[in-house]
Amino acid sequence: MLSFIKETVSVWERLQQTTKPIVLYGMGNGADKIVDWCEAHSVKIAGIFASDEFVRGQEFRGFKVERYADIISRFGEDILVVIAFASERPEVLARFKELAEAHETVAPHLSLFEEPETVSLAWLEKYEAELQKVYANLADDVSRETFANVLNYKLSGKVEYLFACDTAREDDLRQIFSFGENEVYMDLGAYNGDTVQEFLNLVEGKYQHIIAVEPDRRNCKKLCAMAEKLGEITVHECGVWKEAGELGFSDSGGRQSTFLATQKKTVPVNSIDKLAGGKPVSYIKMDVEGAEVQAIEGGKLVIGGFSPKMFVAAYHYDVDVFRLPLLIWQLVPDYKIFFRKHPYVPAWELNFLITK
């Protein structure tokens, strides 16, 4: 087994083993999945609570939604809290920390998209060689510590591992990358322009060109409105893939619109190499909702030819933590790859920062 894996009991095994009252914090899709699992495995849930401002006498899956104080009054302090929703809001993360300090607290790792296997002891054993290779070749100690903490979290659900490796996104961008006045920036998954603005802040408004790509029509409309105020920017309303074509697409208008073959709606897609249009790309941000592998495969000429700085999302599939760096090293063997986790519970802000 990998030397940096300290946990031996999965979060799901812990839920089956505990004698403490299990109480869920939060409602929604995540809570639904956890309740479904508990029902399927005869694990008893004692109660569900929400933040005080959201408790309005509602019910969820047959439970009356309570205030935290009511839960403590009923069960005492010795409870197992299951965080059942995701957040990056500082005040919510602070609340999660308070709960973890007061009680045994877990946030089960749930897959964003359907995948055949997720992190487990068997998964860690199956991919031991790939995980060890990436771990050993990451660029610094912080990357290796983060890699270890993330995998230990995904197995155990213990939120302490996430809090232990949080870093600030802007600080990482400024400390790991250097930016000049002639950057050619590709923003893949540009959403409403927020990461275009992030780039503008990093370069203090001085750059050569921006290529912004966003397949969701509502997001792209907002992106185009922003682009009208800028010079030297090209917006493409399409997805990023390994080749040109059309793919089924869940057009949600949010951050997690993604390619799904079952969707009736389709969107055009194109490759990094085609979208670059021959420009000497110097920086790529890639958060393309699970299509990162295909995007990289369609960018072999740009990535291999220009060795751009890259900021690549690594949280859509569990295997991305090793398959993305291994794929990128095939294109540019001397890339330095840093691994960072930015504040979020669960582990939904994992990113590789890549530079020569």
Side-chain angles (χ1 to χ4, degrees), residues 55-336:
V55 178
R56 301 186 182 90
Q58 69 266 49
E59 291 189 357
F60 180 79
R61 297 292 295 267
F63 292 88
K64 176 186 175 183
V65 179
E66 302 177 71
R67 291 180 172 83
Y68 170 69
D70 297 329
I71 291 287
I72 298 303
S73 177
R74 285 211 293 141
F75 301 112
E77 298 284 345
D78 194 20
I79 56 177
L80 197 166
V81 176
V82 181
I83 295 171
F85 68 102
S87 185
E88 61 182 333
R89 291 167 54 191
E91 68 275 17
V92 177
L93 296 179
R95 179 60 172 151
F96 291 166
K97 288 182 181 180
E98 290 173 2
L99 288 169
E101 290 168 359
H103 317 285
E104 181 179 0
T105 301
V106 296
H109 165 57
L110 301 170
S111 299
L112 273 171
F113 305 123
E114 291 296 324
E115 51 185 319
E117 51 188 358
T118 56
V119 174
S120 65
L121 288 174
W123 186 96
L124 292 166
E125 183 177 359
K126 177 178 180 179
Y127 295 112
E128 181 176 357
E130 293 90 339
L131 292 165
Q132 183 60 48
K133 183 174 182 179
V134 171
Y135 176 81
N137 287 284
L138 289 169
D140 65 355
D141 288 341
V142 174
S143 297
R144 284 182 283 277
E145 291 166 6
T146 302
F147 196 82
N149 279 325
V150 165
L151 289 174
N152 278 291
Y153 155 73
K154 287 191 172 186
L155 179 62
S156 71
K158 295 179 179 178
V159 292
E160 294 88 342
Y161 285 111
L162 296 183
F163 299 139
C165 60
D166 278 341
T167 56
R169 176 177 171 127
E170 183 176 349
D171 290 347
D172 290 333
L173 287 167
R174 292 187 181 278
Q175 291 168 10
I176 293 173
F177 295 150
S178 60
F179 294 94
E181 296 183 358
N182 294 303
E183 301 286 345
V184 176
Y185 171 48
M186 292 193 80
D187 192 336
L188 308 178
Y191 187 46
N192 62 7
D194 58 347
T195 44
V196 170
Q197 186 58 59
E198 175 183 73
F199 168 74
L200 294 172
N201 294 339
L202 291 169
V203 299
E204 297 181 349
K206 299 175 182 178
Y207 63 94
Q208 185 181 139
H209 197 80
I210 297 170
I211 301 165
V213 184
E214 172 57 45
D216 189 293
R217 67 187 190 282
R218 284 165 286 189
N219 294 338
C220 196
K221 185 176 181 180
K222 296 173 184 177
L223 174 63
C224 288
M226 177 190 186
E228 289 177 358
K229 304 171 186 177
L230 302 175
E232 294 301 321
I233 181 170
T234 305
V235 176
H236 296 275
E237 186 177 338
C238 71
V240 183
W241 198 246
K242 59 185 175 182
E243 59 196 2
E246 287 195 350
L247 291 175
F249 186 66
S250 66
D251 195 355
S252 69
R255 282 192 175 274
Q256 294 179 6
S257 297
T258 187
F259 299 127
L260 293 170
T262 56
Q263 295 293 317
K264 293 181 180 179
K265 177 179 174 56
T266 62
V267 295
V269 294
N270 213 334
S271 68
I272 288 174
D273 289 340
K274 293 290 181 61
L275 291 165
K279 290 184 171 60
V281 175
S282 63
Y283 177 41
I284 297 173
K285 185 230 84 184
M286 184 186 301
D287 190 343
V288 290
E289 301 306 331
E292 283 77 14
V293 166
Q294 293 82 4
I296 292 166
E297 289 175 346
K300 292 180 179 178
L301 296 179
V302 166
I303 296 169
F306 298 113
S307 300
K309 299 179 287 289
M310 298 179 69
F311 184 96
V312 180
Y315 59 93
H316 296 112
Y317 295 104
D318 284 355
V319 292
D320 283 348
V321 297
F322 64 82
R323 69 175 178 177
L324 293 179
L326 293 177
L327 179 58
I328 289 166
W329 274 321
Q330 287 179 13
L331 301 179
V332 186
D334 59 344
Y335 258 146
K336 295 177 182 177

Side-chain angles (χ1 to χ4, degrees), residues 28-44:
N29 292 339
D32 267 325
K33 291 180 181 179
I34 294 167
V35 172
D36 287 344
W37 184 91
C38 287
E39 289 179 349
H41 293 82
S42 300
V43 172
K44 182 181 178 181

